[in-house]
Amino acid sequence: DAVSKPEHYNKGDIEAIDAIKASMSPDEFKGYLKGNSLKYLWRYHYKNKPVEDLRKCRWYLERLIQEFI
């Protein structure tokens, strides 16, 4: 799945998102998730895969929401 489990982010024993989270404070990680959500929302209409970018935006936003639960 190019949105929730991109192959290039799942090499080795740990997913890139988990390594990134481990390297940051909770607030930094929330900022990272927010930034990625905004990035995909900002550029979806400039690329040839708008639905995929909007789904990526949603994925990061849902992950951000989970950080507050």
Side-chain angles (χ1 to χ4, degrees):
D1 178 357
V3 174
S4 62
K5 292 269 186 203
E7 185 177 325
H8 57 281
Y9 289 146
N10 292 286
K11 300 292 184 191
D13 295 333
I14 187 167
E15 279 193 57
I17 190 80
D18 295 326
I20 292 166
K21 182 177 182 179
S23 75
M24 297 178 167
S25 71
D27 284 339
E28 289 171 331
F29 186 61
K30 288 173 187 166
Y32 167 80
L33 296 171
K34 177 183 174 182
N36 274 318
S37 294
L38 291 170
K39 172 183 71 175
Y40 286 112
L41 185 59
W42 182 270
R43 70 182 196 176
Y44 77 91
H45 53 90
Y46 296 120
K47 295 175 66 182
N48 293 328
K49 297 180 181 180
V51 174
E52 183 174 301
D53 272 1
L54 288 170
R55 286 181 175 149
K56 288 177 181 179
C57 172
R58 180 175 59 192
W59 188 92
Y60 280 103
L61 184 56
E62 288 294 334
R63 183 75 188 245
L64 178 58
I65 291 167
Q66 289 303 310
E67 293 299 311
F68 289 95
I69 296 175

